[in-house]
Amino acid sequence: MNKPLKQHLIDPEICIRCYTCEMTCPVEAITHDDNNVVVDAEKCDFCMDCIPVCPTGSIDEWRVVETPYSLDEQFEWQELPAQADIGESSGVEALDDAMAALLAEAHAGAGGKSKAPASAAKPSVNLYNLGKPATARVTGNFRLTSGESGSDVRHIILDFGAQPFPVLEGQSIGIIPPGTDKDGKAHLPRLYSVSSPRDGERPNFNNLSLTVKREEQGLCSNYVCDLKIGDEIKVTGPFGATFLMPEDPSARLLMVCTGTGSAPFRAFTMRRQRSKAGGSGDLTMFFGARTPDSLPYFGPLGKVPEKLLKKHLVFSRQPGQPKEYVQHRMMAEQDAVADLLADPRTHIYICGLRGMEQGVEEAFRSISESTGQAWEATRDAMRDEGRYHVETY
Ligand code: A2P
C-alpha cells in the first residue's frame, strides 16, 4: 500500500482563473485546460511560491491521499472533493499539520483563504470558459478621466443578449484578447471586476459594466479601451465566490480602494441604492487617486448622497497640497474606523494596488491598538466570519 501523501490542490469554485499561480510556479507544476487550473502532484515540490500571489486563497488547499488525483480528474472537477477517509493511518494528522504550517508561513501572517459573507447570495461561477466563451456586444465606451490627467480609465458596457450571464456585485469576468502570443498560442483571458449591480448596468437589462485603465503596453487593456460600439468580444466567467456583499441590509460596509479598485464598490453602492429593503447598515468609502480628474466616477460619486455613502476622496498629487493616501485619511478618521471595527455587523473590503495593502493594514493595526484590540486577532476572526476581503493586484 502507498503511504499517505499530501497533495496540493486548487479549489475550482473559488479560483478566478487569473493564471497568476501558473505563471509563478518555478517547476511548471500548475497547468490548465478550458475548465480548471490544476496542480501536477508529480511536479509540485511544495515551494509555496504560488501561495501569496493567489488573489483568492483558492490555492490554499490540500488533501491527504494514498493515490494523488490525476490532472484529468482535476480538470473535471466542479468542486473540490472532500477529504477521503483513508483509514487509521497515524501519518494523516501530522501531514495535515505540516501543510497548514507551510501555508501559514507562505502567507507571512497575512492573506489566507477568504470566505464569502454569511448572508451573501450564491454566485454562478465559470459558466463560460476558454473553449466555450460567451459573446458580448459593446454598447458603451466612455472615458472617465480627463485627457490632462494622463490616465485613461474607461467605463465599458457589455450586452449579453439572449445568453444567460448572471453576475453578483464583486465578481469578475475574463476577456479574451484576439490573436495569439509569440508561440502561436491563443491569449489567456484577462480579468476585470464588474462595476455594475446584479440587475444590470441598466436595471433589468442583460448587461454589465467594467472599469478599465489603459496600461502602456497592456495587450488586453488597450484592446478593451479601443473597443467601438457594436464590437463583439469573447468573455469567460463569471468568477469569484468570496468578494461578495452581504445581503443583510443591516451589514455595514467599509470599502478602501485606489483607482479602478473602485469598480466593485460602485456595484455595491448601486445595489444598496436600488434595493428597496432599506436597512440600518451604512456604507463608508476611502478612495485614493492622484487628482480629482483621474478619480474614476468623480462626478457621479459627488451625486451619491452622504446619507447612503460616506465618501473620503483622497488625492496624492493635488498641486499645492500634501500627498495623501487612503491610509492617512483612515488615521485622520480613526474614531469612525474604530467604531466600524468594533461592530460585528461590519464588513471590510480592500481593492486596488497591492502596495496599499501594507499601509492600510498598518492603519487598521494602529486604530485597533488604540482601542486595546489586537489587530491580527480581529482581522483573522473577521476573515473567518466572511467579513474581511482583500483583492489587490
Ligand atoms: P501616487 O502614485 O501619487 O504615489 P494609480 O493612479 O497609479 O492607479 O494609483 C492610485 C492612487 O494610489 C494614487 O493616488 C497613488 O499615489 C496611490 N498609491 C500608490 N502607492 C500607494 C500605497 N502604497 N498606498 C496607498 N496608496 C498608494
Side-chain angles (χ1 to χ4, degrees):
M1 191 181 89
N2 287 331
K3 61 179 191 218
L5 312 157
K6 57 186 195 291
Q7 181 177 11
H8 194 187
L9 296 166
I10 298 176
D11 185 333
E13 280 186 294
I14 297 181
C15 169
I16 56 174
R17 280 76 175 166
C18 65
Y19 309 103
T20 312
C21 56
E22 184 173 334
M23 291 180 257
T24 304
C25 178
V27 294
E28 297 182 0
I30 302 180
T31 177
H32 69 272
D33 73 347
D34 286 351
N35 208 27
N36 287 338
V37 186
V38 301
V39 187
D40 187 337
E42 282 184 17
K43 292 186 184 164
C44 173
D45 60 5
F46 296 94
C47 72
M48 299 280 131
D49 283 6
C50 57
I51 301 297
V53 299
C54 171
T56 64
S58 57
I59 199 145
D60 289 14
E61 286 293 347
W62 73 95
R63 292 289 180 266
V64 180
V65 292
E66 274 171 352
T67 309
Y69 293 104
S70 70
L71 294 180
D72 284 340
E73 280 174 289
Q74 296 178 58
F75 285 141
E76 292 303 314
W77 287 346
Q78 302 293 325
E79 59 186 47
L80 212 56
Q83 172 65 57
D85 181 2
I86 57 172
E88 289 292 307
S89 169
S90 56
V92 176
E93 265 178 34
L95 283 172
D96 250 357
D97 290 349
M99 192 66 188
L102 273 175
L103 284 170
E105 192 185 328
H107 282 299
K113 189 162 181 169
S114 53
K115 280 194 191 154
S119 70
K122 179 107 180 92
S124 302
V125 291
N126 215 14
L127 296 179
Y128 298 91
N129 61 25
L130 281 168
K132 202 170 66 70
T135 302
R137 200 166 53 83
V138 178
T139 57
N141 179 348
F142 309 98
R143 186 163 180 170
L144 297 167
T145 48
S146 82
E148 291 82 63
S149 73
S151 148
D152 185 0
V153 180
R154 302 279 170 150
H155 183 65
I156 306 285
I157 305 175
L158 302 178
D159 191 284
F160 288 87
Q163 300 151 104
F165 205 96
V167 288
L168 290 176
E169 305 79 14
Q171 285 195 287
S172 309
I173 65 166
I175 294 185
I176 308 176
T180 51
D181 65 15
K182 59 177 175 14
D183 302 321
K185 286 205 271 190
H187 293 297
L188 288 174
R190 305 302 197 267
L191 280 182
Y192 297 97
S193 255
V194 173
S195 55
S196 53
R198 66 188 73 181
D199 58 335
E201 169 67 2
R202 189 167 162 192
N204 305 317
F205 274 64
N206 191 17
N207 64 6
L208 56 76
S209 70
L210 306 173
T211 312
V212 181
K213 182 179 183 183
R214 188 189 293 279
E215 302 288 349
E216 227 177 292
Q217 315 285 336
L219 172 84
C220 198
S221 73
N222 278 291
Y223 165 65
V224 174
C225 289
D226 290 335
L227 286 168
K228 306 274 178 299
I229 309 291
D231 284 352
E232 291 198 333
I233 66 169
K234 300 280 177 223
V235 178
T236 60
F239 300 119
T242 61
F243 199 96
L244 302 172
M245 67 186 294
E247 294 291 286
D248 176 4
S250 71
R252 307 175 71 192
L253 311 191
L254 171 54
M255 304 174 277
V256 184
C257 61
T258 56
T260 53
S262 57
F265 304 149
R266 177 181 185 267
F268 288 3
T269 306
M270 288 173 78
R271 170 68 182 164
R272 276 280 173 96
Q273 205 162 20
R274 282 187 196 170
S275 55
K276 304 272 181 288
S280 52
D282 52 2
L283 307 180
T284 303
M285 167 188 258
F286 290 88
F287 187 170
R290 296 174 187 192
T291 54
D293 65 357
S294 69
L295 184 135
Y297 308 108
F298 182 73
L301 261 175
K303 298 198 184 97
V304 179
E306 280 288 311
K307 203 165 141 331
L308 177 76
L309 175 69
K310 293 188 195 87
K311 285 157 274 174
H312 300 283
L313 306 184
V314 180
F315 303 110
S316 58
R317 302 192 198 180
Q318 267 294 59
Q321 287 185 21
K323 191 177 186 81
E324 191 180 15
Y325 281 169
V326 281
Q327 56 266 39
H328 303 142
R329 184 65 69 88
M330 288 166 63
M331 291 303 297
E333 297 286 334
Q334 59 172 307
D335 290 349
V337 176
D339 170 60
L340 282 160
L341 282 179
D343 191 334
R345 296 174 305 163
T346 298
H347 290 245
I348 294 176
Y349 297 86
I350 301 166
C351 189
L353 292 177
R354 175 147 289 179
M356 80 165 163
E357 213 176 308
Q358 195 187 353
V360 169
E361 280 236 17
E362 286 305 323
F364 278 133
R365 184 190 322 279
S366 159
I367 296 168
S368 292
E369 285 172 2
S370 73
T371 62
Q373 302 298 316
W375 163 243
E376 271 78 13
T378 306
R379 180 200 61 202
D380 291 351
M382 289 186 79
R383 191 193 283 124
D384 239 32
E385 292 163 14
R387 298 193 295 118
Y388 185 76
H389 308 270
V390 181
E391 214 165 86
T392 54
Y393 34 83

